[in-house]
Amino acid sequence: AIILVHWLLTVWGCMNYMLPLSYAWGNFSVLAVGIWAIVQRDSLDAITMFLTGLLLTVLTDIIHISVFYPSHDFLSDAKRFSIGMAIFSLLLKPVSCYLVYRMYRERGGE
């Protein structure tokens, strides 16, 4: 569910080409590592990389949104929706990090 929600919000956040390609590459790469973590349930490395990637994308998302946020004059409804979904994804990431950390602990991480 974590991967599906963040995938959908990232797709919606990239709809208007307002955010650069690095936003899409960073988020989709972390989601690919998350799929790896789901497939290999016994791998501690996969879940560690997924958690680290989520934490790093929190920082990069803040930078992307703050640098590329358009001025009020250039905000259409589609751009407002797109940036809103990117912000919503950013706000959900700490909750996702907590849930992934719990999975990390269940797999034997310390």
Side-chain angles (χ1 to χ4, degrees), residues 10 65 80 105:
T10 302
I65 292 170
R80 191 173 291 122
R105 297 287 295 190

Side-chain angles (χ1 to χ4, degrees), residues 31-41 43 45-47 49 107:
L31 293 177
V33 172
I35 291 171
W36 175 42
I38 289 172
V39 170
Q40 291 191 349
R41 293 198 179 268
S43 174
D45 292 337
I47 199 76
M49 287 179 64
R107 293 185 185 188

Side-chain angles (χ1 to χ4, degrees), residues 92-104:
L92 281 180
K93 281 188 182 177
V95 175
S96 299
C97 287
Y98 172 73
L99 294 173
V100 171
Y101 178 72
R102 286 188 46 179
M103 288 190 293
Y104 169 76

